[in-house]
Amino acid sequence: MTMYDPYQNMLHVLDEAASVLKLHKDEYAFVRYPERELTVSLPIRMDDGHVQVFEGYRVQHSSVRGPAKGGVRYHPNTDINETRALAGWMTIKCAVANIPYGGAKGGIRVDPQCLSDRELERLTREYTYRISPIIGTDIDVPAPDVGTNAQIMAWIVDEYSKLRGKYTPGVVTGKPIEIGGSLGRNEATGRGIMYTLMSYLETTGKKPCDITMAAQGFGNVGSVGCLLMKRAGINIVAIGDIGRSLYNPNGIDIEKAYAYANSHGRSLDGYQEEGMQVIPKGDVLHLDVDVLFMAAMENQLNAATMEGVKAKLILEGANGPTTNEADTYFYKHGIEILPDVMTNAGGVVGSYYEWVQNRTGFYWTEEEYNKKLQANMRKTFQTVWQVKEKYHVSARLSCYIIALSRIVAAQNYRGFLG
Ligand code: GLU
């Protein structure tokens, strides 16, 4: 049995895109390999006095179209392989959204829930120190991802600024507003997902109020996404987080669930409402709904789970929730996927706006920010749909075709070394 390898998943679609574009392998070989990978050891004195050594990573997949860009993940299962795939997906995502970045990703193999705030701060500062030679406003710009947040970004800014001897807010995005973060960035990923779904419904002549949805994942992306889609008229009948899945055939009261999760450490544990039942965790994927919103982790829709899916549309909020095998299966069975690299790009597009504001020192209102985000998401969707129809391919392959042609064009202008 071959082990699930997310980077191979990425390459598989990339090669398909190259074949549609009739690119010779020499013309895009550089995109198949990450430019730079760094593994660091992070010895931390824990609160009880003992020293624990964590492992951290930063992978710069591409800097052809601009500085490498991508989040930092704190998760017990993170490893170099996952980080590499996530970095590759960032390269594709930034190119599809047409923002001037390459792709990167970082991570630490740690369960942040098991650390005190002091330990988390020490770990973050040590990580920043270790990766500092390769990050920077014009080089590689980290951001939040699973298990990290604005506070962690603030520690990165502080540590990096001390090392460089000057305040450098543009070295990371997703910061608190007080130190150069953007109004709107925290909701940008969920908001972008909502805009993308609305573009899709418009294009296919469907109304939000006729749509039912089940959601897996209720972290930042899942909860904000659900809240905004609910406000746009979608009937969300099920939500699941890491602990439990909740089903209410009459529709979950998302405003209430959102407020509950926010005041209970982002957990739905103990959440109650009338008519709602707790269902086995995996069942959320197989409910009879129109849209399945994937907002947890990669590798969720795979050979073992794909056949039970009844939804006709899969909305990818997480990165890489669908394996190649499941992707092919859904394509054959007429199940449409709005893929991660288009659908969740609102996060990094929002990061781009934050970075622009940091560089110019001129700050926008939340309305301006959201308006620009909406325009970008809409344009991206329309481009993806045009290319999809032109080549008769899935939306995912369309994204890779667009991204690859932009990356190759940029590299051709810059020229090949060696
Ligand atoms: N972690 C987010 C993503 O996977 C945002 C990355 C960023 O803003 O750089 O797209």
Side-chain angles (χ1 to χ4, degrees):
M1 204 186 87
T2 50
M3 232 180 60
Y4 166 68
D5 181 342
Y7 194 72
Q8 289 305 321
N9 266 252
M10 204 280 291
L11 289 184
H12 182 87
V13 193
L14 194 73
D15 290 341
E16 268 186 82
S19 107
V20 173
L21 289 168
K22 301 193 171 44
L23 288 177
H24 186 273
K25 68 175 180 16
D26 292 354
E27 289 176 278
Y28 78 104
F30 67 95
V31 194
R32 301 184 86 255
Y33 298 87
E35 286 177 10
R36 185 182 283 138
E37 298 191 348
L38 181 63
T39 299
V40 292
S41 298
L42 309 167
I44 304 302
R45 188 165 305 278
M46 306 302 277
D47 290 346
D48 67 3
H50 88 282
V51 172
Q52 195 167 330
V53 184
F54 296 89
E55 193 164 277
Y57 319 95
R58 187 72 188 168
V59 174
Q60 294 167 350
H61 180 265
S62 173
S63 61
V64 173
R65 300 181 64 259
K69 182 83 189 83
V72 178
R73 176 173 291 199
Y74 288 2
H75 193 276
N77 298 336
T78 288
D79 58 18
I80 188 72
N81 222 28
E82 183 197 64
T83 310
R84 186 181 298 136
L86 289 161
W89 287 325
M90 287 309 300
T91 300
I92 304 296
K93 195 186 300 187
C94 294
V96 174
N98 215 3
I99 52 175
Y101 289 138
K105 203 80 173 197
I108 303 178
R109 196 172 172 84
V110 61
D111 183 351
Q113 308 278 11
C114 298
L115 300 191
S116 71
D117 281 357
R118 300 292 307 153
E119 290 166 341
L120 206 55
E121 179 176 346
R122 285 198 289 272
L123 181 64
T124 302
R125 288 186 185 278
E126 188 65 18
Y127 175 69
T128 308
Y129 172 65
R130 298 277 174 203
I131 66 165
S132 64
I134 65 161
I135 61 169
T137 309
D138 293 316
I139 303 167
D140 176 0
V141 184
D145 195 74
V146 175
T148 57
N149 55 28
Q151 171 63 77
I152 289 174
M153 299 307 114
W155 289 326
I156 297 179
V157 169
D158 190 65
E159 191 65 24
Y160 186 83
S161 297
K162 281 177 182 155
L163 284 165
R164 291 285 176 266
K166 63 171 183 178
Y167 185 52
T168 316
V171 68
V172 294
T173 55
K175 298 177 289 292
I177 308 298
E178 290 77 1
I179 55 163
S182 280
L183 293 164
R185 171 62 185 89
N186 200 35
E187 295 77 31
T189 311
R191 185 173 295 278
I193 292 168
M194 181 271 285
Y195 289 146
T196 300
L197 179 62
M198 292 306 130
S199 293
Y200 170 82
L201 295 179
E202 235 175 81
T203 302
T204 50
K206 295 185 184 113
K207 287 203 211 75
C209 57
D210 295 331
I211 305 293
T212 56
M213 176 183 287
Q216 187 206 45
F218 210 64
N220 177 267
V221 174
S223 66
V224 175
C226 281
L227 187 72
L228 298 178
M229 288 191 278
K230 171 80 184 188
R231 286 182 186 163
I234 307 285
N235 183 15
I236 300 169
V237 296
I239 50 177
D241 71 1
I242 212 151
R244 55 210 305 251
S245 286
L246 310 171
Y247 175 55
N248 189 341
N250 303 317
I252 304 261
D253 184 344
I254 296 293
E255 301 276 347
K256 195 172 144 193
Y258 180 81
Y260 182 93
N262 265 351
S263 56
H264 290 79
R266 279 264 153 77
S267 163
L268 288 166
D269 227 5
Y271 177 70
Q272 300 278 356
E273 67 177 51
E274 217 182 289
M276 190 192 81
Q277 63 204 76
V278 178
I279 56 171
K281 234 175 79 181
D283 286 14
V284 77
L285 303 179
H286 299 145
L287 292 170
D288 194 3
V289 289
D290 299 307
V291 181
L292 182 57
F293 175 31
M294 302 299 295
M297 296 289 279
E298 58 266 20
N299 189 22
Q300 297 299 301
L301 294 170
N302 52 36
T305 58
M306 63 194 188
E307 282 169 20
V309 171
K310 297 191 188 68
K312 282 278 164 266
L313 180 73
I314 294 165
L315 187 62
E316 293 188 343
N319 291 311
T322 311
T323 64
N324 290 148
E325 201 171 355
D327 208 49
T328 308
Y329 173 88
F330 293 139
Y331 190 66
K332 275 196 191 131
H333 288 79
I335 297 174
E336 189 81 74
I337 300 181
L338 299 183
D340 48 7
V341 288
M342 163 181 78
T343 307
N344 72 26
V348 73
V349 170
S351 280
Y352 167 52
Y353 298 156
E354 179 177 330
W355 181 80
V356 166
Q357 292 173 73
N358 294 150
R359 294 175 67 115
T360 56
F362 179 70
Y363 287 83
W364 315 346
T365 64
E366 192 164 355
E367 287 70 34
E368 282 174 276
Y369 184 96
N370 289 343
K371 222 171 126 190
K372 286 196 170 61
L373 181 65
Q374 179 170 28
N376 183 303
M377 296 306 291
R378 188 185 281 269
K379 173 107 196 283
T380 300
F381 177 86
Q382 284 163 352
T383 309
V384 170
W385 233 247
Q386 276 160 14
V387 170
K388 172 181 153 66
E389 275 159 15
K390 175 174 171 196
Y391 291 107
H392 306 286
V393 294
S394 69
R396 188 183 320 278
L397 188 49
S398 166
C399 288
Y400 278 66
I401 291 169
I402 295 163
L404 189 59
S405 54
R406 286 178 179 160
I407 297 162
V408 167
Q411 184 67 76
N412 282 338
Y413 274 115
R414 291 182 66 160
F416 282 91
L417 295 176

